[in-house]
Amino acid sequence: MDVSDIHIFMAVVEHGSVSRAAEEMGYVQSNVTARIRLLEQELGHPLFHRHRRGMMLNAEGRKLLYYAERMTQLMNEMRKAFQDTDDPAGSLLIGSVETVVGLPDILSLFYQKYSKVDLSLVTGVTEKLTEEVLEYRLDGAFVSGPVTAANVEQHPVFDEELVLVCGRGVMEGQMRADLVRELLHRPLLVFRKGCGYRAKLEEWLQQEGISPTKVMEFGTLETIIGTVVAGLGITVVPRAAISKLEEEGALRVFRIPRPFNKVSVVYIRRGDAYLGEAERRFMETIEEIRTRRGSHIPLTTLLTIP
């Protein structure tokens, strides 16, 4: 059974006659008759009452008609999903590091414009997300850049300021110039290996000649920040991610020296992957939010690693 068999069946149902269906579809009458009989043989049941005035569906035929109408509806929706570039449909699977502060704005605007697209978001660290993009498990991902993997197309999104944070009560009252260096000897509360923010912190420590006394890995930013607030260690995060806690006085925040105080968030995708209409519209939404935030780097500037 193929789609053309269903179309022939529905034409016979509509016209109540093989001859009229054949004329409408431009087929030879004997061909339509043969296709209906083959369809009945495959299903194991006759589908029509045959009489001198034409053909009428029997109970089994009405059962098939129910499914045939559903199939036709789905086929029409499928064609529309691929043809309607102004209102794309389908699905997008996007990855992201946990601290992309502007991401909710991107997702909200995209959903308002293209509600037919089923967008799913998974979180992870830069290294893992890059691997999943290259293995086609993700359509794209927001990661810490630049990414050095081959065959990765990178689109600038935001630049974020990184800061060192600790609990409010940690070394309270100490304002000496070497306080930050003393803090770097405390336990590090970080994401697992492959996180861009952790890499910046480790590079800074290496330059300072400091070996961390203890490293504690966590799976979510919420857990890391909660543990920092409790005074168990330090971490490095984008300032925008903890701005509210900073205003409330729950954290102590320290500037980080260059070049460790900046991280670029980029949207990555496979360089040779087909760019579908839904993802194209998603990237346009990224550009719109970037423009609102005052960035002047065009999203179409590609940083492709050959």
Side-chain angles (χ1 to χ4, degrees):
M1 183 192 308
D2 57 34
V3 175
S4 62
D5 293 331
I6 297 300
H7 289 161
I8 290 172
F9 166 76
M10 295 189 71
V12 173
V13 171
E14 179 182 356
H15 296 286
S17 163
V18 167
S19 61
R20 288 196 291 271
E23 181 180 354
E24 176 69 23
M25 301 184 75
Y27 290 167
V28 178
Q29 180 174 334
S30 59
N31 185 30
V32 173
T33 300
R35 296 286 286 275
I36 291 295
R37 292 196 182 280
L38 284 173
L39 186 59
E40 290 177 324
Q41 290 174 12
E42 184 173 348
L43 294 173
H45 298 280
L47 302 172
F48 295 92
H49 296 296
R50 291 167 170 83
H51 50 80
R52 286 179 298 177
R53 294 188 302 276
M55 303 172 69
M56 181 179 296
L57 284 176
N58 61 19
E60 298 301 325
R62 290 193 297 272
K63 184 192 300 183
L64 178 60
L65 180 62
Y66 168 75
Y67 290 105
E69 289 174 340
R70 290 176 61 186
M71 288 175 61
T72 301
Q73 180 181 1
L74 286 173
M75 291 290 290
N76 290 336
E77 290 179 4
M78 180 185 69
R79 291 191 186 95
K80 188 175 187 299
F82 282 94
Q83 295 171 357
D84 190 352
T85 58
D86 292 329
D87 191 17
S91 64
L92 273 180
L93 185 56
I94 303 297
S96 178
V97 294
E98 283 212 9
T99 51
V100 181
V101 178
L103 185 57
D105 293 333
I106 294 171
L107 299 180
S108 177
L109 180 59
F110 182 76
Y111 180 75
Q112 290 174 29
K113 288 185 171 184
Y114 310 109
S115 59
K116 291 181 181 178
V117 177
D118 182 14
L119 192 150
S120 300
L121 186 71
V122 298
T123 58
V125 296
T126 291
E127 187 176 293
K128 182 63 175 177
L129 293 173
T130 302
E131 177 184 317
E132 292 182 345
V133 167
L134 288 172
E135 293 178 356
Y136 298 102
R137 294 201 294 269
L138 292 174
D139 295 306
F142 295 94
V143 299
S144 301
V147 174
T148 58
N151 199 26
V152 171
E153 185 181 285
Q154 303 179 58
H155 301 259
V157 182
F158 305 125
D159 288 329
E160 296 181 333
E161 178 193 5
L162 293 180
V163 291
L164 175 72
V165 295
C166 68
R168 190 65 193 170
V170 175
M171 298 182 175
E172 191 169 7
Q174 299 189 44
M175 299 299 294
R176 298 191 309 275
D178 61 350
L179 175 57
V180 169
R181 185 173 177 83
E182 289 185 27
L183 285 172
L184 293 178
H185 290 278
R186 297 184 65 82
L188 308 184
L189 313 180
V190 292
F191 289 108
R192 65 183 182 274
K193 283 285 187 181
C195 169
Y197 310 137
R198 175 175 176 170
K200 288 282 188 180
L201 176 56
E202 290 175 340
E203 290 171 12
W204 181 23
L205 288 170
Q206 184 176 8
Q207 178 170 294
E208 295 290 336
I210 298 174
S211 297
T213 56
K214 188 173 185 179
V215 177
M216 302 172 65
E217 295 184 350
F218 298 89
T220 67
L221 178 65
E222 182 181 7
T223 305
I224 291 174
I225 296 302
T227 309
V228 169
V229 170
L232 297 183
I234 63 169
T235 195
V236 165
V237 291
R239 186 164 211 147
I242 49 87
S243 58
K244 185 176 180 181
L245 289 172
E246 182 181 5
E247 292 173 2
E248 294 172 350
L251 292 170
R252 300 184 74 181
V253 179
F254 301 88
R255 291 185 179 276
I256 293 175
R258 296 178 180 178
F260 313 110
N261 65 334
K262 294 292 183 182
V263 65
S264 296
V265 176
V266 296
Y267 178 78
I268 64 170
R269 58 187 308 277
R270 269 192 70 112
D272 59 356
Y274 174 74
L275 180 60
E277 195 59 37
E279 188 179 9
R280 187 189 307 277
R281 297 292 179 164
F282 185 69
M283 294 170 66
E284 288 177 359
T285 304
I286 295 173
E287 168 65 5
E288 184 171 344
I289 294 298
R290 291 179 69 254
T291 301
R292 291 183 184 182
R293 290 183 59 153
S295 175
H296 301 295
I297 305 174
L299 184 64
T300 51
T301 299
L302 304 185
L303 307 175
T304 304
I305 307 299

